[in-house]
Each structure stands twice: as C-alpha cells, then as structure tokens.
Amino acid sequence: MNRRPPLDHPDLFQQLDQWDRLHAQVAGEAEARGRAISRALEHERQAGRTKRPHGTCKRWNINRQRIAEIGKIIRSRHDGPCDTDDAELYLQVALPHFLKLHSIAADLRVAVDAWTATLLPGLARHRVVEMVDESEAREWRFATHDQVARLLNVVLTERSNLGLRTIGAIDRTKAQRAKDRKAQNAKHQRAKRTLNGATPRSKSKAAMKPWEADGVSRSTFYARQKAAMEAPSIAHVTEGWTVSSALVRSTYLVVTDQSDAAEQNDQGPARSARPRRSVSADGPSPGAKMRAVPPGRAVPLPLPIDGVSEHPDLIGGLGEWRQVGAPLAAYEGGVLPPELARAVREALRVRMLTQQALANQIGVSRPQIVNVLRGRFGLSRSAASNLMQWLAA
C-alpha cells in the first residue's frame, strides 16, 4: 500500500514544481506571472510590509481610486471574488482606468492579469486578452460618477456603506447629493455651536422678537437695553464726584474732583446737535431724522436796548429804514415763508452770528438750518417756537 509522503519530503516538492511548470505551459506565461504577482502581494500584505513610510505614499489618482472602488463593489456583492457572468462588466468599466495608469502594453497586461486573477478568477484568459486588445484599439472617454453608477447599478445605500467617492448613485443625482452634503454639514456645525454654548438661531432675539411682547419697535427695545446696561456704570462714575453739567445719553462731560462755584452757577450752553451720518455741505439727506426740541430751550443773544435798524439798500438810497426785530407773522412750524427766511438772514447778519450759532441756540443742527433757509424742509413746533423767540429778542 502506498503511503502519503510527509510535507517536508523532497519528492513532494518535485511533484509540485512539475505541476507548476505544467500549469505555466497550459495557462500561458502572462497568467502565471500574474498569479505570481498576486501571491507575492498577498505575502507582503500578511507580513505587514505593504505600508509605505510616511511621506513616500503616491499622490491621489482618480483612476487608481476608481479601480479600488470597483474592487470594493465586487467583494461586497459576491463575498469575495466574482464567479458570475458579471465579470466582463466589471472589467469593461475598469479597463479605461488601467489604460490611463499604464501606457506600456506589457505593464498594462500584467496589471490587468493580476487584477482579474484576484477579483475575477472565473473570467476566461482568452476573453481577458480580447477585451484588453479592444480597449487599446478604441479611444475612451472618461466616465462620470453617475455613468459608472448606471453601468454597475449602484444605489445610494450601497455607495454610503462602502464609502464610494468616485462612483455616484442611480437614485440620487449629483445636485441632490451635494444638497444632502450641505444639509449634513449644516447639522454638524449646528451641533458644534450648541456644544460650545452658543445660542441657537431659533432662540435668538431676531427669531423670538421680544419687542413685540413689549409693544415697542426693535430700535426702541435695543435702545432701552443699552440704556439699562449703561445706567450702573454712570452711577458708579458719578458717585462722590461733582459734575459741571447734566449728563446726556450720548455726550458725557469731563468729570473733575473740584469745580469752581461760578462754573456750577452759570447756565451752560444750549444742547448741541449730534454729528449725523452722510451729511453734505448743503445739509443732511432727505431721510435724516429731525430732533424735537422742547420750547424754551433756546438762549438768544440780546439785541441792543434801542433796537437795530437796517436800510434795505446797502449803498444808501431813498429807501426807508426798518426795524429788524419787528413783529413777524405767526409761524408755528413747517416750511419757512420767504419773508421769515429773509428776516432770519438779516438777523444773523446784524447780530454777526453764524448759522452754527443759530442752530445751537434753537436746538437743531447746522445742516438743518441750511435746508430750512433754502425752503427744502421745515421746522417742528418746538424748534419754530425757539426760532420766533430768537427773532423777537
């Protein structure tokens, strides 16, 4: 009875070597070389020598990436190498990328043989050679993500599970996938902001609109909030100090330890107008807001005791002298009549005052005075009352 030789018997190695030579003669040189390469790569992978040192890895290439993703699909669908008639379809999709990677025919055949021997062992050798020859004879156009997905029938679930990046999905277009990624990124950023303690936009003041519950406008709500925040600081600053004048919301006077008694008793100047935005040399823009001034705030400079008379003709003539401070027609606000505007100009000339001084005394800005005298805009009731008191002084 023949006994089975042990594994380390020299006759066993001779028999295996004979079988390898016989297989090489039957299958062909290229196939044997491809199988040898596959065995060598598998040995290197098992030995842990396939990882490249840091900084020596190849640059990313879409052709290499797509070939690797086709291999992922094959292993996922067939639980390993493909042994069905779908092998030709997989090779047909991968061949254009092998052509891009290997310009030399010998290298191309070796790479294709190694890939098919590993993933498509059921595909006949002669059919692989025919498909490679056909691919070299024709001109290939690079297939898009969705075109490859239609050829391989890849759905979104399979794409997400396998982590495919160069192959699309037949049930979601490229624009829809981009929209999904944008929504997913927004959700991720929202979660990060919440983790860092930020207020969600759905609970912000712009979304909640707390001013509607108070029955005020948005600007009024924020103005009150700002005043409430500044009030404690003002009280802290003024505690134990002597201030030379009342504090205004937007203009704070200099605070000193000591102040002269005369300075405390003297009446300060009238309120000056705040600087406005977009004010030209001729006056503010039509959208500028006019500030209401309570009556009685103006402090006009007194005229001489005997009054001031003026001749209508500056170079002399037959005209009659007239009183500048003469009573004028009743004016309660709005656009100035031409006679009243002329009287204001004459009073400024006689009193040798500037428009800025007049604006300070009636409680408006200089650009507003310019527009009022030109008839562009009018005055409010309080400012008109101050102007009439200034003219009658």
Side-chain angles (χ1 to χ4, degrees):
M1 185 176 67
N2 296 331
R3 294 182 179 180
R4 184 176 180 181
L7 295 178
D8 56 349
H9 196 275
D11 294 339
L12 178 63
F13 290 101
Q14 293 178 2
Q15 292 177 9
L16 293 176
D17 189 31
Q18 292 175 2
W19 278 108
D20 288 342
R21 286 198 300 270
L22 180 61
H23 183 271
Q25 293 175 3
V26 174
E29 258 183 353
E31 185 176 356
R33 190 184 304 113
R35 293 184 184 278
I37 292 174
S38 300
R39 287 196 299 268
L41 292 176
E42 182 65 19
H43 176 71
E44 292 291 325
R45 187 188 66 79
Q46 293 179 0
R49 294 193 292 266
T50 55
K51 292 185 178 180
R52 295 174 177 268
H54 180 70
T56 61
C57 296
K58 294 182 179 179
R59 295 179 60 184
W60 182 86
N61 188 285
I62 188 172
N63 299 291
R64 192 180 298 111
Q65 178 72 20
R66 184 166 288 179
I67 292 173
E69 292 183 356
I70 295 173
K72 283 185 181 181
I73 295 175
I74 294 174
R75 293 187 181 94
S76 174
R77 291 180 177 179
H78 304 278
D79 294 330
C82 175
D83 53 357
T84 63
D85 56 354
D86 296 332
E88 289 192 11
L89 177 62
Y90 294 128
L91 182 58
Q92 180 184 355
V93 176
L95 272 177
H97 304 287
F98 278 110
L99 287 172
K100 291 289 185 181
L101 289 174
H102 306 283
S103 57
I104 302 176
D107 296 340
L108 172 64
R109 295 179 183 277
V110 171
V112 173
D113 288 341
W115 192 76
T116 53
T118 305
L119 297 176
L120 309 174
L123 190 60
R125 165 66 184 169
H126 65 88
R127 182 55 184 157
V128 175
V129 175
E130 291 177 0
M131 294 181 67
V132 172
D133 294 340
E134 291 175 2
S135 63
E136 289 178 333
R138 60 180 297 185
E139 182 179 357
W140 290 92
R141 296 186 61 184
F142 190 82
T144 63
H145 296 55
D146 292 338
Q147 288 175 351
V148 177
R150 283 192 292 269
L151 290 173
L152 300 180
N153 197 25
V154 179
V155 295
L156 183 63
T157 305
E158 183 180 17
R159 183 179 190 270
S160 302
N161 294 337
L162 298 179
L164 306 181
R165 294 295 178 266
T166 63
I167 300 176
I170 59 176
D171 52 348
R172 297 292 286 179
T173 62
K174 182 179 180 180
Q176 292 173 340
R177 295 195 301 270
K179 188 176 181 180
D180 294 342
R181 287 194 300 270
K182 186 176 181 180
Q184 185 177 3
N185 181 55
K187 183 180 179 180
H188 173 67
Q189 297 297 334
R190 193 182 307 113
K192 285 179 59 178
R193 290 193 297 269
T194 304
L195 185 62
N196 294 332
T199 303
R201 295 180 181 177
S202 58
K203 297 182 180 180
S204 63
K205 292 182 180 179
M208 302 297 290
K209 298 181 180 180
W211 50 84
E212 293 182 354
D214 297 342
V216 296
S217 63
R218 182 176 182 272
S219 58
T220 303
F221 174 81
Y222 282 107
R224 290 179 180 178
Q225 189 177 24
K226 182 179 179 182
M229 294 176 61
E230 293 178 350
S233 61
I234 296 174
H236 175 71
V237 170
T238 58
E239 183 178 1
W241 300 75
T242 305
V243 185
S244 60
S245 180
L247 288 175
V248 188
R249 183 181 62 182
S250 60
T251 307
Y252 299 101
L253 302 180
V254 179
V255 181
T256 58
D257 287 331
Q258 299 177 356
S259 60
D260 192 6
E263 294 180 359
Q264 298 181 18
N265 296 330
D266 288 345
Q267 184 177 5
R271 182 178 63 179
S272 59
R274 290 183 295 175
R276 298 180 181 273
R277 298 179 181 177
S278 66
V279 178
S280 62
D282 296 334
S285 60
K289 296 181 180 179
M290 295 185 181
R291 185 169 48 215
V293 182
R297 286 288 184 87
V299 185
L301 298 177
L303 290 174
I305 298 176
D306 298 335
V308 177
S309 299
E310 183 184 16
H311 197 278
D313 190 358
L314 296 179
I315 61 176
L318 301 178
E320 297 180 356
W321 289 82
R322 59 185 178 184
Q323 203 75 12
V324 173
L328 300 172
Y331 171 69
E332 297 181 354
V335 180
L336 261 69
E339 299 81 6
L340 185 56
R342 187 165 51 251
V344 171
R345 290 193 181 93
E346 292 174 354
L348 289 174
R349 185 167 55 252
V350 170
R351 299 179 184 184
M352 292 184 292
L353 295 177
T354 62
Q355 293 178 347
Q356 183 64 53
L358 173 59
N360 294 339
Q361 295 192 23
I362 69 173
V364 295
S365 63
R366 187 200 65 81
Q368 189 173 352
I369 288 293
V370 173
N371 289 325
V372 167
L373 295 179
R374 292 189 178 185
R376 293 179 178 175
F377 309 117
L379 290 174
S380 61
R381 289 180 177 271
S382 57
S385 175
N386 292 345
L387 179 64
M388 297 304 295
Q389 292 182 15
W390 182 82
L391 284 174

